[in-house]
Amino acid sequence: MDAATFRRKAVYGRWAVASAFFFNGFLVGSWAPQIPVFMTRLGISEFTLGLLILVFGIGALASMPWCGYLIEKHGSRAVVKGFAIFCSFSLLLVALAPNVISAAPALFLFGAVIGGMDVAMNANAVEVEKKLSRAVMSSSHGFWSLGGFAGGGLGGILIEAHGHLAHAVVVTIIAIAIGLIAFRFMITEEAPVRHEKQKLAFPTNPLIYLIGLMALFSMVPEGSVLDWAALYLRQERGADIATAGFAFAAFSGTMSIMRFLGDGVRDRFGAVNTLRISALIGASGMLAASIAPTSWIAILAFAFSGLGIANMVPIAFSAAGNQKGTSSGVALSMVTLMGYSGILVAPSAIGFVGGKTGFGPIYMVLAGLLVVVFLMANLARSADQKVR
């Protein structure tokens, strides 16, 4: 293959993996406006709804460890496409569930295929970075955020006009169309590593778990802003409901913008320096939010924190996927598992503690976690292997 053809395929692969991130985020975003209807039509309480949403998270976390085994055996492209088939119909399955007994396994499956695809598309993004010799991970996560925004916005309009089932059908059609058009251009590893009597195993390299810890400490603040920032502003800073809702909107908005800018920043300054600066920005914003005297100052502080947190997890994923002597799929499955625990599991414990102490001290502690990431930033130096 000549250099021009190789480059062209890599560029096509870059946009194909961006489409995979958009696809995944679009499905997750489409689930959000379904939740109120889901609760009403099943006649369940907030507590039961919380347990069912936790089932979604457990499904995602359960699929992540063995997804690395599948990637090592079949390559990331095949695994992305395989999970995408199930993802396309997963929201429709939840929308069709008539009761809690059927909704629980449907949500578990939804979480499992979304989580499995998440690992595989991150592994594919690492491969694209290697072939293009430049960073694409941050902007790929930006496409996930963009997909979530599109899914949530379109969902509210369609459900209002045509009902939850028609919305789920439209989402399924859009997902299938994206998969058929874009995923055929995905690239994959040159030769997926295969071993005789290959077994599902956890990484033996301890550095993988330290990078996973960085991802965890980076994602716990994100999950805490998502789940508890509005309540913090409402109860402890006297904000009205409309104002309280701006906390996560401002945070996620700056995250999305910075993720699209992040690859260029990282290519220029390197992963380690970018991670250090990002961690300090994130920590200072979180600390300012914890002591802000008014709700609007807290909102600005959360927005500033989002600028820093935006690129921390993408860098951790790139660092994990480039560890020598370890399959990128196996490494990413563990780091993704650890990182996403910060969004799917940790906020439950934070809510319990925050109910006793208030959330101001919680956000102060979360600033401390980001300082720990700053101190560990040198562990991310492998993220630059494909761009140096």
Side-chain angles (χ1 to χ4, degrees):
M1 184 187 303
D2 61 78
T5 302
F6 179 88
R7 179 75 180 180
R8 184 171 62 254
K9 286 188 174 182
V11 171
Y12 287 166
R14 187 267 174 277
W15 291 109
V17 77
S19 299
F21 275 84
F22 182 92
F23 172 103
N24 193 279
F26 178 73
L27 286 170
V28 174
S30 297
W31 161 236
Q34 286 267 349
I35 292 175
V37 181
F38 179 81
M39 180 179 175
T40 301
R41 68 184 182 82
L42 267 59
I44 57 178
S45 65
E46 288 85 352
F47 177 77
T48 304
L49 175 63
L51 290 178
L52 288 172
I53 292 175
L54 182 61
V55 167
F56 174 91
I58 292 172
L61 296 179
S63 72
M64 288 175 179
W66 57 268
C67 187
Y69 163 80
L70 294 176
I71 294 169
E72 188 176 13
K73 186 175 182 180
H74 301 291
S76 58
R77 177 179 61 186
V79 178
V80 167
K81 293 169 74 173
F83 274 112
I85 293 172
F86 292 99
C87 285
S88 298
F89 297 95
S90 55
L91 181 64
L92 181 60
L93 189 64
V94 174
L96 289 169
N99 51 48
V100 173
I101 295 175
S102 57
L107 277 170
F108 183 89
L109 177 63
F110 188 20
V113 295
I114 287 290
M117 183 181 177
D118 196 296
V119 175
M121 67 192 189
N122 275 288
N124 196 263
V126 169
E127 196 62 25
V128 170
E129 288 186 326
K130 292 175 181 177
K131 286 183 167 54
L132 287 178
S133 297
R134 63 180 177 85
V136 303
M137 186 67 80
S138 291
S139 57
S140 295
H141 282 255
F143 278 102
W144 191 96
S145 299
L146 187 62
F149 176 80
L154 178 65
I157 296 171
L158 284 178
I159 293 172
E160 178 83 17
H162 303 291
H164 80 283
L165 195 55
H167 165 247
V169 171
V170 171
V171 168
T172 301
I173 293 171
I174 292 173
I176 292 172
I178 293 173
L180 290 176
I181 293 170
F183 292 179
R184 62 195 180 97
F185 294 107
M186 296 188 80
I187 62 173
T188 193
E189 297 75 8
E190 292 297 333
V193 180
R194 292 182 173 88
H195 304 287
E196 293 186 7
K197 298 182 180 180
Q198 192 174 25
K199 297 180 180 179
L200 174 63
F202 292 105
T204 57
N205 183 354
L207 189 56
I208 299 298
Y209 298 95
L210 292 175
I211 294 172
L213 194 64
M214 288 199 302
L216 173 63
F217 287 177
S218 300
M219 294 184 85
V220 169
E222 181 179 350
S224 301
V225 175
L226 169 64
D227 290 327
W228 301 114
L231 189 63
Y232 165 56
L233 296 187
R234 180 89 171 124
Q235 293 185 348
E236 300 178 36
R237 295 298 179 265
D240 57 38
I241 294 175
T243 301
F246 282 112
F248 183 69
F251 179 82
S252 60
T254 56
M255 280 189 69
S256 297
I257 293 170
M258 197 60 211
R259 279 180 167 171
F260 282 113
L261 298 174
D263 291 327
V265 173
R266 184 176 135 201
D267 283 338
R268 181 172 181 179
F269 298 105
V272 172
N273 288 333
T274 302
L275 184 57
R276 284 175 176 156
I277 295 170
S278 296
L280 287 180
I281 292 173
S284 59
M286 204 63 63
L287 178 62
S290 73
I291 60 176
T294 69
S295 58
W296 282 107
I297 292 177
I299 289 169
L300 291 174
F302 282 130
F304 186 70
S305 185
L307 291 173
I309 293 174
N311 291 308
M312 294 172 66
V313 170
I315 289 173
F317 284 175
S318 287
N322 283 281
Q323 287 299 310
K324 292 182 178 179
T326 305
S327 160
S328 62
V330 172
L332 273 166
S333 65
M334 179 53 61
V335 172
T336 305
L337 171 67
M338 294 178 68
Y340 275 87
S341 298
I343 288 181
L344 299 172
V345 179
S348 298
I350 286 172
F352 176 78
V353 176
K356 305 290 185 182
T357 66
F359 288 97
I362 293 291
Y363 287 117
M364 193 174 295
V365 171
L366 296 180
L369 294 184
L370 296 174
V371 172
V372 173
V373 177
F374 166 81
L375 297 174
M376 299 174 68
N378 195 51
L379 298 178
R381 59 187 179 276
S382 59
D384 281 333
Q385 286 180 359
K386 73 278 164 202
V387 295
R388 290 289 179 262

